[in-house]
Amino acid sequence: MGLSKAISFGYSFTLVVVGVLIGLVMALFNYIKNRNKDPPQVSRHRSGLLISGLEEGTSLQADLPFHGVRVLELSTVVAGPMAARVMSDLGAEVIKVEDVKGDPFRNVFCEYEYPRPYGSAFEVCNLGKASVKLNLKTAEGKAKIMDLLADADVFITNVRVDALV
């Protein structure tokens, strides 16, 4: 039994090493092929990235499968925000609803990064989204989220059902 586990581990380890080596070789070939080309000019935008060279008023998002879909996201940490991020990457308009104090995930890993308003883990999960802060414990906050829900095609949440009522 010990030998079979060792062989299984050795096989898995070999696959990982081969995968990493293939990735490194591919990255090296890609670098060699593109080293003399000018990189595209890219700038940050609320809805992701804008690539220079497009005519004014043109949108790359019109060709994406979720273009025209409005998503309302009321979630925190990773699972819910990443699901909404994928939809945003596929062209959906995503509106993230946060508590007035902000998403607690904003501060994760901040102590290991340069001084910044939020951690890169939060940025990865929430790139390409609009954001609104609401106090859902007040009547005004509940009314605003109901208005947002009325216009939404999709609602993503990882909040307990009892807390939503």
Side-chain angles (χ1 to χ4, degrees), residues 107-142:
N107 300 321
V108 172
F109 301 127
C110 277
E111 63 271 13
Y112 303 111
E113 300 182 39
Y114 293 117
R116 48 188 291 167
Y118 49 84
S120 58
F122 177 83
E123 185 175 16
V124 165
C125 293
N126 293 288
L127 183 68
K129 301 176 186 178
S131 176
V132 61
K133 291 184 178 184
L134 295 176
N135 185 352
L136 298 178
K137 295 178 181 176
T138 65
E140 181 183 342
K142 289 179 183 179

PDB file of all heavy atoms in Angstrom, residues 107-142:
ATOM      1  N   ASN A 107      -9.900  44.571   2.744  1.00  0.00           N
ATOM      2  CA  ASN A 107      -8.679  44.704   3.527  1.00  0.00           C
ATOM      3  C   ASN A 107      -7.826  43.441   3.579  1.00  0.00           C
ATOM      4  O   ASN A 107      -6.780  43.432   4.216  1.00  0.00           O
ATOM      5  CB  ASN A 107      -9.034  45.129   4.948  1.00  0.00           C
ATOM      6  CG  ASN A 107      -9.756  46.460   4.952  1.00  0.00           C
ATOM      7  OD1 ASN A 107      -9.413  47.348   4.186  1.00  0.00           O
ATOM      8  ND2 ASN A 107     -10.771  46.586   5.771  1.00  0.00           N
ATOM      9  N   VAL A 108      -8.242  42.377   2.908  1.00  0.00           N
ATOM     10  CA  VAL A 108      -7.484  41.138   2.933  1.00  0.00           C
ATOM     11  C   VAL A 108      -6.173  41.331   2.179  1.00  0.00           C
ATOM     12  O   VAL A 108      -6.155  41.877   1.075  1.00  0.00           O
ATOM     13  CB  VAL A 108      -8.312  39.984   2.314  1.00  0.00           C
ATOM     14  CG1 VAL A 108      -7.479  38.728   2.155  1.00  0.00           C
ATOM     15  CG2 VAL A 108      -9.523  39.713   3.181  1.00  0.00           C
ATOM     16  N   PHE A 109      -5.073  40.929   2.780  1.00  0.00           N
ATOM     17  CA  PHE A 109      -3.706  41.000   2.238  1.00  0.00           C
ATOM     18  C   PHE A 109      -3.156  42.414   2.141  1.00  0.00           C
ATOM     19  O   PHE A 109      -2.078  42.605   1.598  1.00  0.00           O
ATOM     20  CB  PHE A 109      -3.599  40.309   0.871  1.00  0.00           C
ATOM     21  CG  PHE A 109      -3.971  38.857   0.881  1.00  0.00           C
ATOM     22  CD1 PHE A 109      -4.915  38.367  -0.004  1.00  0.00           C
ATOM     23  CD2 PHE A 109      -3.401  37.991   1.797  1.00  0.00           C
ATOM     24  CE1 PHE A 109      -5.269  37.033   0.000  1.00  0.00           C
ATOM     25  CE2 PHE A 109      -3.751  36.653   1.815  1.00  0.00           C
ATOM     26  CZ  PHE A 109      -4.671  36.173   0.919  1.00  0.00           C
ATOM     27  N   CYS A 110      -3.874  43.419   2.645  1.00  0.00           N
ATOM     28  CA  CYS A 110      -3.356  44.793   2.575  1.00  0.00           C
ATOM     29  C   CYS A 110      -2.041  44.940   3.343  1.00  0.00           C
ATOM     30  O   CYS A 110      -1.183  45.727   2.948  1.00  0.00           O
ATOM     31  CB  CYS A 110      -4.386  45.783   3.123  1.00  0.00           C
ATOM     32  SG  CYS A 110      -5.620  46.233   1.913  1.00  0.00           S
ATOM     33  N   GLU A 111      -1.877  44.177   4.415  1.00  0.00           N
ATOM     34  CA  GLU A 111      -0.649  44.307   5.202  1.00  0.00           C
ATOM     35  C   GLU A 111       0.579  43.805   4.457  1.00  0.00           C
ATOM     36  O   GLU A 111       1.705  44.108   4.823  1.00  0.00           O
ATOM     37  CB  GLU A 111      -0.782  43.581   6.554  1.00  0.00           C
ATOM     38  CG  GLU A 111      -0.994  42.087   6.449  1.00  0.00           C
ATOM     39  CD  GLU A 111      -2.455  41.678   6.360  1.00  0.00           C
ATOM     40  OE1 GLU A 111      -3.326  42.533   6.140  1.00  0.00           O
ATOM     41  OE2 GLU A 111      -2.729  40.488   6.505  1.00  0.00           O
ATOM     42  N   TYR A 112       0.382  43.036   3.385  1.00  0.00           N
ATOM     43  CA  TYR A 112       1.502  42.507   2.603  1.00  0.00           C
ATOM     44  C   TYR A 112       1.757  43.312   1.334  1.00  0.00           C
ATOM     45  O   TYR A 112       2.670  42.998   0.584  1.00  0.00           O
ATOM     46  CB  TYR A 112       1.236  41.045   2.212  1.00  0.00           C
ATOM     47  CG  TYR A 112       0.994  40.173   3.408  1.00  0.00           C
ATOM     48  CD1 TYR A 112      -0.269  39.636   3.649  1.00  0.00           C
ATOM     49  CD2 TYR A 112       2.002  39.896   4.309  1.00  0.00           C
ATOM     50  CE1 TYR A 112      -0.499  38.837   4.746  1.00  0.00           C
ATOM     51  CE2 TYR A 112       1.778  39.100   5.413  1.00  0.00           C
ATOM     52  CZ  TYR A 112       0.526  38.573   5.623  1.00  0.00           C
ATOM     53  OH  TYR A 112       0.313  37.793   6.722  1.00  0.00           O
ATOM     54  N   GLU A 113       0.943  44.304   1.062  1.00  0.00           N
ATOM     55  CA  GLU A 113       1.060  45.067  -0.173  1.00  0.00           C
ATOM     56  C   GLU A 113       1.454  46.503   0.138  1.00  0.00           C
ATOM     57  O   GLU A 113       1.401  46.956   1.263  1.00  0.00           O
ATOM     58  CB  GLU A 113      -0.270  45.037  -0.928  1.00  0.00           C
ATOM     59  CG  GLU A 113      -0.700  43.630  -1.282  1.00  0.00           C
ATOM     60  CD  GLU A 113      -1.990  43.601  -2.066  1.00  0.00           C
ATOM     61  OE1 GLU A 113      -2.174  44.466  -2.929  1.00  0.00           O
ATOM     62  OE2 GLU A 113      -2.795  42.706  -1.802  1.00  0.00           O
ATOM     63  N   TYR A 114       1.799  47.234  -0.918  1.00  0.00           N
ATOM     64  CA  TYR A 114       2.096  48.646  -0.739  1.00  0.00           C
ATOM     65  C   TYR A 114       0.854  49.341  -0.200  1.00  0.00           C
ATOM     66  O   TYR A 114      -0.254  48.869  -0.411  1.00  0.00           O
ATOM     67  CB  TYR A 114       2.497  49.273  -2.079  1.00  0.00           C
ATOM     68  CG  TYR A 114       3.800  48.753  -2.604  1.00  0.00           C
ATOM     69  CD1 TYR A 114       3.855  48.069  -3.797  1.00  0.00           C
ATOM     70  CD2 TYR A 114       4.974  48.937  -1.893  1.00  0.00           C
ATOM     71  CE1 TYR A 114       5.044  47.585  -4.291  1.00  0.00           C
ATOM     72  CE2 TYR A 114       6.171  48.451  -2.374  1.00  0.00           C
ATOM     73  CZ  TYR A 114       6.203  47.772  -3.578  1.00  0.00           C
ATOM     74  OH  TYR A 114       7.382  47.291  -4.054  1.00  0.00           O
ATOM     75  N   PRO A 115       1.022  50.453   0.458  1.00  0.00           N
ATOM     76  CA  PRO A 115      -0.166  51.168   0.959  1.00  0.00           C
ATOM     77  C   PRO A 115      -1.129  51.476  -0.182  1.00  0.00           C
ATOM     78  O   PRO A 115      -0.757  52.085  -1.171  1.00  0.00           O
ATOM     79  CB  PRO A 115       0.413  52.450   1.547  1.00  0.00           C
ATOM     80  CG  PRO A 115       1.843  52.155   1.801  1.00  0.00           C
ATOM     81  CD  PRO A 115       2.257  51.119   0.797  1.00  0.00           C
ATOM     82  N   ARG A 116      -2.338  50.980  -0.050  1.00  0.00           N
ATOM     83  CA  ARG A 116      -3.379  51.189  -1.053  1.00  0.00           C
ATOM     84  C   ARG A 116      -4.723  51.082  -0.372  1.00  0.00           C
ATOM     85  O   ARG A 116      -4.822  50.544   0.717  1.00  0.00           O
ATOM     86  CB  ARG A 116      -3.241  50.210  -2.211  1.00  0.00           C
ATOM     87  CG  ARG A 116      -3.043  48.782  -1.795  1.00  0.00           C
ATOM     88  CD  ARG A 116      -2.729  47.842  -2.917  1.00  0.00           C
ATOM     89  NE  ARG A 116      -3.874  47.682  -3.777  1.00  0.00           N
ATOM     90  CZ  ARG A 116      -3.819  47.116  -4.955  1.00  0.00           C
ATOM     91  NH1 ARG A 116      -2.684  46.677  -5.414  1.00  0.00           N
ATOM     92  NH2 ARG A 116      -4.882  46.985  -5.702  1.00  0.00           N
ATOM     93  N   PRO A 117      -5.774  51.591  -0.989  1.00  0.00           N
ATOM     94  CA  PRO A 117      -7.078  51.611  -0.317  1.00  0.00           C
ATOM     95  C   PRO A 117      -7.713  50.230  -0.145  1.00  0.00           C
ATOM     96  O   PRO A 117      -8.554  50.052   0.712  1.00  0.00           O
ATOM     97  CB  PRO A 117      -7.937  52.493  -1.224  1.00  0.00           C
ATOM     98  CG  PRO A 117      -7.257  52.476  -2.549  1.00  0.00           C
ATOM     99  CD  PRO A 117      -5.805  52.265  -2.286  1.00  0.00           C
ATOM    100  N   TYR A 118      -7.306  49.246  -0.950  1.00  0.00           N
ATOM    101  CA  TYR A 118      -7.847  47.892  -0.831  1.00  0.00           C
ATOM    102  C   TYR A 118      -6.842  46.915  -1.420  1.00  0.00           C
ATOM    103  O   TYR A 118      -5.953  47.283  -2.176  1.00  0.00           O
ATOM    104  CB  TYR A 118      -9.199  47.763  -1.521  1.00  0.00           C
ATOM    105  CG  TYR A 118      -9.239  48.315  -2.913  1.00  0.00           C
ATOM    106  CD1 TYR A 118      -8.816  47.570  -3.992  1.00  0.00           C
ATOM    107  CD2 TYR A 118      -9.691  49.607  -3.143  1.00  0.00           C
ATOM    108  CE1 TYR A 118      -8.830  48.085  -5.269  1.00  0.00           C
ATOM    109  CE2 TYR A 118      -9.712  50.125  -4.418  1.00  0.00           C
ATOM    110  CZ  TYR A 118      -9.278  49.357  -5.478  1.00  0.00           C
ATOM    111  OH  TYR A 118      -9.299  49.868  -6.734  1.00  0.00           O
ATOM    112  N   GLY A 119      -6.992  45.646  -1.049  1.00  0.00           N
ATOM    113  CA  GLY A 119      -6.053  44.625  -1.476  1.00  0.00           C
ATOM    114  C   GLY A 119      -6.271  44.174  -2.911  1.00  0.00           C
ATOM    115  O   GLY A 119      -7.342  44.339  -3.497  1.00  0.00           O
ATOM    116  N   SER A 120      -5.243  43.577  -3.475  1.00  0.00           N
ATOM    117  CA  SER A 120      -5.327  43.113  -4.856  1.00  0.00           C
ATOM    118  C   SER A 120      -6.294  41.939  -4.998  1.00  0.00           C
ATOM    119  O   SER A 120      -6.890  41.754  -6.063  1.00  0.00           O
ATOM    120  CB  SER A 120      -3.947  42.721  -5.374  1.00  0.00           C
ATOM    121  OG  SER A 120      -3.375  41.723  -4.558  1.00  0.00           O
ATOM    122  N   ALA A 121      -6.491  41.151  -3.929  1.00  0.00           N
ATOM    123  CA  ALA A 121      -7.459  40.046  -3.999  1.00  0.00           C
ATOM    124  C   ALA A 121      -8.868  40.605  -4.222  1.00  0.00           C
ATOM    125  O   ALA A 121      -9.643  40.062  -5.013  1.00  0.00           O
ATOM    126  CB  ALA A 121      -7.412  39.217  -2.718  1.00  0.00           C
ATOM    127  N   PHE A 122      -9.192  41.700  -3.550  1.00  0.00           N
ATOM    128  CA  PHE A 122     -10.483  42.353  -3.763  1.00  0.00           C
ATOM    129  C   PHE A 122     -10.590  42.874  -5.191  1.00  0.00           C
ATOM    130  O   PHE A 122     -11.614  42.726  -5.847  1.00  0.00           O
ATOM    131  CB  PHE A 122     -10.662  43.498  -2.762  1.00  0.00           C
ATOM    132  CG  PHE A 122     -11.931  44.274  -2.966  1.00  0.00           C
ATOM    133  CD1 PHE A 122     -13.125  43.813  -2.446  1.00  0.00           C
ATOM    134  CD2 PHE A 122     -11.939  45.456  -3.693  1.00  0.00           C
ATOM    135  CE1 PHE A 122     -14.300  44.520  -2.632  1.00  0.00           C
ATOM    136  CE2 PHE A 122     -13.110  46.167  -3.884  1.00  0.00           C
ATOM    137  CZ  PHE A 122     -14.294  45.696  -3.360  1.00  0.00           C
ATOM    138  N   GLU A 123      -9.507  43.472  -5.679  1.00  0.00           N
ATOM    139  CA  GLU A 123      -9.524  44.028  -7.032  1.00  0.00           C
ATOM    140  C   GLU A 123      -9.733  42.933  -8.079  1.00  0.00           C
ATOM    141  O   GLU A 123     -10.490  43.113  -9.032  1.00  0.00           O
ATOM    142  CB  GLU A 123      -8.220  44.768  -7.312  1.00  0.00           C
ATOM    143  CG  GLU A 123      -8.209  45.467  -8.641  1.00  0.00           C
ATOM    144  CD  GLU A 123      -6.966  46.306  -8.854  1.00  0.00           C
ATOM    145  OE1 GLU A 123      -5.973  46.133  -8.135  1.00  0.00           O
ATOM    146  OE2 GLU A 123      -7.002  47.135  -9.768  1.00  0.00           O
ATOM    147  N   VAL A 124      -9.096  41.796  -7.892  1.00  0.00           N
ATOM    148  CA  VAL A 124      -9.250  40.689  -8.845  1.00  0.00           C
ATOM    149  C   VAL A 124     -10.706  40.234  -8.904  1.00  0.00           C
ATOM    150  O   VAL A 124     -11.252  39.975  -9.971  1.00  0.00           O
ATOM    151  CB  VAL A 124      -8.330  39.509  -8.460  1.00  0.00           C
ATOM    152  CG1 VAL A 124      -8.707  38.240  -9.188  1.00  0.00           C
ATOM    153  CG2 VAL A 124      -6.880  39.865  -8.728  1.00  0.00           C
ATOM    154  N   CYS A 125     -11.351  40.150  -7.754  1.00  0.00           N
ATOM    155  CA  CYS A 125     -12.736  39.665  -7.705  1.00  0.00           C
ATOM    156  C   CYS A 125     -13.755  40.702  -8.179  1.00  0.00           C
ATOM    157  O   CYS A 125     -14.888  40.347  -8.482  1.00  0.00           O
ATOM    158  CB  CYS A 125     -13.093  39.231  -6.294  1.00  0.00           C
ATOM    159  SG  CYS A 125     -12.194  37.793  -5.736  1.00  0.00           S
ATOM    160  N   ASN A 126     -13.380  41.974  -8.215  1.00  0.00           N
ATOM    161  CA  ASN A 126     -14.370  43.023  -8.465  1.00  0.00           C
ATOM    162  C   ASN A 126     -14.039  43.942  -9.624  1.00  0.00           C
ATOM    163  O   ASN A 126     -14.674  44.990  -9.783  1.00  0.00           O
ATOM    164  CB  ASN A 126     -14.581  43.829  -7.184  1.00  0.00           C
ATOM    165  CG  ASN A 126     -15.227  42.984  -6.121  1.00  0.00           C
ATOM    166  OD1 ASN A 126     -16.397  42.662  -6.213  1.00  0.00           O
ATOM    167  ND2 ASN A 126     -14.455  42.584  -5.121  1.00  0.00           N
ATOM    168  N   LEU A 127     -13.101  43.566 -10.463  1.00  0.00           N
ATOM    169  CA  LEU A 127     -12.759  44.375 -11.628  1.00  0.00           C
ATOM    170  C   LEU A 127     -13.931  44.427 -12.594  1.00  0.00           C
ATOM    171  O   LEU A 127     -14.621  43.437 -12.813  1.00  0.00           O
ATOM    172  CB  LEU A 127     -11.541  43.776 -12.335  1.00  0.00           C
ATOM    173  CG  LEU A 127     -11.021  44.565 -13.523  1.00  0.00           C
ATOM    174  CD1 LEU A 127     -10.418  45.883 -13.063  1.00  0.00           C
ATOM    175  CD2 LEU A 127      -9.980  43.761 -14.271  1.00  0.00           C
ATOM    176  N   GLY A 128     -14.191  45.587 -13.133  1.00  0.00           N
ATOM    177  CA  GLY A 128     -15.224  45.734 -14.148  1.00  0.00           C
ATOM    178  C   GLY A 128     -16.623  45.945 -13.605  1.00  0.00           C
ATOM    179  O   GLY A 128     -17.589  45.806 -14.334  1.00  0.00           O
ATOM    180  N   LYS A 129     -16.748  46.301 -12.336  1.00  0.00           N
ATOM    181  CA  LYS A 129     -18.073  46.469 -11.730  1.00  0.00           C
ATOM    182  C   LYS A 129     -18.279  47.908 -11.288  1.00  0.00           C
ATOM    183  O   LYS A 129     -17.340  48.595 -10.902  1.00  0.00           O
ATOM    184  CB  LYS A 129     -18.208  45.583 -10.484  1.00  0.00           C
ATOM    185  CG  LYS A 129     -18.024  44.116 -10.752  1.00  0.00           C
ATOM    186  CD  LYS A 129     -18.089  43.350  -9.445  1.00  0.00           C
ATOM    187  CE  LYS A 129     -17.765  41.893  -9.646  1.00  0.00           C
ATOM    188  NZ  LYS A 129     -17.789  41.171  -8.378  1.00  0.00           N
ATOM    189  N   ALA A 130     -19.523  48.325 -11.322  1.00  0.00           N
ATOM    190  CA  ALA A 130     -19.905  49.571 -10.664  1.00  0.00           C
ATOM    191  C   ALA A 130     -20.187  49.204  -9.213  1.00  0.00           C
ATOM    192  O   ALA A 130     -20.481  48.050  -8.904  1.00  0.00           O
ATOM    193  CB  ALA A 130     -21.139  50.157 -11.317  1.00  0.00           C
ATOM    194  N   SER A 131     -20.098  50.155  -8.314  1.00  0.00           N
ATOM    195  CA  SER A 131     -20.281  49.850  -6.903  1.00  0.00           C
ATOM    196  C   SER A 131     -21.157  50.904  -6.248  1.00  0.00           C
ATOM    197  O   SER A 131     -21.062  52.087  -6.563  1.00  0.00           O
ATOM    198  CB  SER A 131     -18.913  49.814  -6.216  1.00  0.00           C
ATOM    199  OG  SER A 131     -19.052  49.604  -4.842  1.00  0.00           O
ATOM    200  N   VAL A 132     -22.011  50.455  -5.354  1.00  0.00           N
ATOM    201  CA  VAL A 132     -22.849  51.372  -4.596  1.00  0.00           C
ATOM    202  C   VAL A 132     -22.872  50.899  -3.149  1.00  0.00           C
ATOM    203  O   VAL A 132     -22.917  49.695  -2.881  1.00  0.00           O
ATOM    204  CB  VAL A 132     -24.283  51.455  -5.192  1.00  0.00           C
ATOM    205  CG1 VAL A 132     -24.979  50.123  -5.165  1.00  0.00           C
ATOM    206  CG2 VAL A 132     -25.110  52.497  -4.489  1.00  0.00           C
ATOM    207  N   LYS A 133     -22.776  51.854  -2.218  1.00  0.00           N
ATOM    208  CA  LYS A 133     -22.841  51.520  -0.797  1.00  0.00           C
ATOM    209  C   LYS A 133     -24.232  51.846  -0.279  1.00  0.00           C
ATOM    210  O   LYS A 133     -24.713  52.964  -0.451  1.00  0.00           O
ATOM    211  CB  LYS A 133     -21.792  52.308  -0.012  1.00  0.00           C
ATOM    212  CG  LYS A 133     -20.381  51.876  -0.312  1.00  0.00           C
ATOM    213  CD  LYS A 133     -19.388  52.616   0.548  1.00  0.00           C
ATOM    214  CE  LYS A 133     -17.988  52.139   0.261  1.00  0.00           C
ATOM    215  NZ  LYS A 133     -17.003  52.782   1.146  1.00  0.00           N
ATOM    216  N   LEU A 134     -24.868  50.859   0.353  1.00  0.00           N
ATOM    217  CA  LEU A 134     -26.214  51.041   0.892  1.00  0.00           C
ATOM    218  C   LEU A 134     -26.282  50.487   2.303  1.00  0.00           C
ATOM    219  O   LEU A 134     -25.696  49.449   2.601  1.00  0.00           O
ATOM    220  CB  LEU A 134     -27.252  50.300   0.038  1.00  0.00           C
ATOM    221  CG  LEU A 134     -27.461  50.764  -1.391  1.00  0.00           C
ATOM    222  CD1 LEU A 134     -28.456  49.854  -2.092  1.00  0.00           C
ATOM    223  CD2 LEU A 134     -27.939  52.194  -1.430  1.00  0.00           C
ATOM    224  N   ASN A 135     -27.035  51.161   3.149  1.00  0.00           N
ATOM    225  CA  ASN A 135     -27.334  50.635   4.480  1.00  0.00           C
ATOM    226  C   ASN A 135     -28.666  49.893   4.376  1.00  0.00           C
ATOM    227  O   ASN A 135     -29.734  50.509   4.359  1.00  0.00           O
ATOM    228  CB  ASN A 135     -27.414  51.768   5.504  1.00  0.00           C
ATOM    229  CG  ASN A 135     -27.603  51.244   6.908  1.00  0.00           C
ATOM    230  OD1 ASN A 135     -27.830  50.047   7.122  1.00  0.00           O
ATOM    231  ND2 ASN A 135     -27.511  52.138   7.879  1.00  0.00           N
ATOM    232  N   LEU A 136     -28.591  48.581   4.268  1.00  0.00           N
ATOM    233  CA  LEU A 136     -29.789  47.771   4.059  1.00  0.00           C
ATOM    234  C   LEU A 136     -30.619  47.588   5.322  1.00  0.00           C
ATOM    235  O   LEU A 136     -31.651  46.927   5.290  1.00  0.00           O
ATOM    236  CB  LEU A 136     -29.399  46.411   3.478  1.00  0.00           C
ATOM    237  CG  LEU A 136     -28.717  46.492   2.119  1.00  0.00           C
ATOM    238  CD1 LEU A 136     -28.327  45.107   1.643  1.00  0.00           C
ATOM    239  CD2 LEU A 136     -29.603  47.178   1.102  1.00  0.00           C
ATOM    240  N   LYS A 137     -30.178  48.191   6.430  1.00  0.00           N
ATOM    241  CA  LYS A 137     -30.954  48.118   7.670  1.00  0.00           C
ATOM    242  C   LYS A 137     -31.931  49.281   7.797  1.00  0.00           C
ATOM    243  O   LYS A 137     -32.748  49.307   8.703  1.00  0.00           O
ATOM    244  CB  LYS A 137     -30.007  48.083   8.872  1.00  0.00           C
ATOM    245  CG  LYS A 137     -29.157  46.819   8.880  1.00  0.00           C
ATOM    246  CD  LYS A 137     -28.201  46.801  10.037  1.00  0.00           C
ATOM    247  CE  LYS A 137     -27.378  45.529   9.971  1.00  0.00           C
ATOM    248  NZ  LYS A 137     -26.361  45.454  10.986  1.00  0.00           N
ATOM    249  N   THR A 138     -31.847  50.230   6.853  1.00  0.00           N
ATOM    250  CA  THR A 138     -32.765  51.369   6.882  1.00  0.00           C
ATOM    251  C   THR A 138     -33.815  51.205   5.781  1.00  0.00           C
ATOM    252  O   THR A 138     -33.598  50.482   4.803  1.00  0.00           O
ATOM    253  CB  THR A 138     -32.010  52.695   6.649  1.00  0.00           C
ATOM    254  OG1 THR A 138     -31.479  52.693   5.327  1.00  0.00           O
ATOM    255  CG2 THR A 138     -30.895  52.886   7.673  1.00  0.00           C
ATOM    256  N   ALA A 139     -34.926  51.889   5.941  1.00  0.00           N
ATOM    257  CA  ALA A 139     -35.993  51.829   4.943  1.00  0.00           C
ATOM    258  C   ALA A 139     -35.515  52.417   3.608  1.00  0.00           C
ATOM    259  O   ALA A 139     -35.861  51.908   2.539  1.00  0.00           O
ATOM    260  CB  ALA A 139     -37.222  52.581   5.437  1.00  0.00           C
ATOM    261  N   GLU A 140     -34.717  53.469   3.680  1.00  0.00           N
ATOM    262  CA  GLU A 140     -34.198  54.097   2.460  1.00  0.00           C
ATOM    263  C   GLU A 140     -33.289  53.132   1.689  1.00  0.00           C
ATOM    264  O   GLU A 140     -33.382  53.005   0.464  1.00  0.00           O
ATOM    265  CB  GLU A 140     -33.427  55.366   2.828  1.00  0.00           C
ATOM    266  CG  GLU A 140     -32.878  56.106   1.641  1.00  0.00           C
ATOM    267  CD  GLU A 140     -32.065  57.330   2.050  1.00  0.00           C
ATOM    268  OE1 GLU A 140     -32.197  57.789   3.199  1.00  0.00           O
ATOM    269  OE2 GLU A 140     -31.304  57.814   1.202  1.00  0.00           O
ATOM    270  N   GLY A 141     -32.407  52.432   2.408  1.00  0.00           N
ATOM    271  CA  GLY A 141     -31.518  51.461   1.766  1.00  0.00           C
ATOM    272  C   GLY A 141     -32.289  50.308   1.145  1.00  0.00           C
ATOM    273  O   GLY A 141     -31.983  49.867   0.035  1.00  0.00           O
ATOM    274  N   LYS A 142     -33.323  49.834   1.850  1.00  0.00           N
ATOM    275  CA  LYS A 142     -34.157  48.745   1.314  1.00  0.00           C
ATOM    276  C   LYS A 142     -34.904  49.193   0.063  1.00  0.00           C
ATOM    277  O   LYS A 142     -35.025  48.440  -0.901  1.00  0.00           O
ATOM    278  CB  LYS A 142     -35.128  48.250   2.380  1.00  0.00           C
ATOM    279  CG  LYS A 142     -34.453  47.476   3.483  1.00  0.00           C
ATOM    280  CD  LYS A 142     -35.453  47.027   4.532  1.00  0.00           C
ATOM    281  CE  LYS A 142     -34.737  46.322   5.675  1.00  0.00           C
ATOM    282  NZ  LYS A 142     -35.646  45.900   6.726  1.00  0.00           N
TER     283      LYS A 142
END
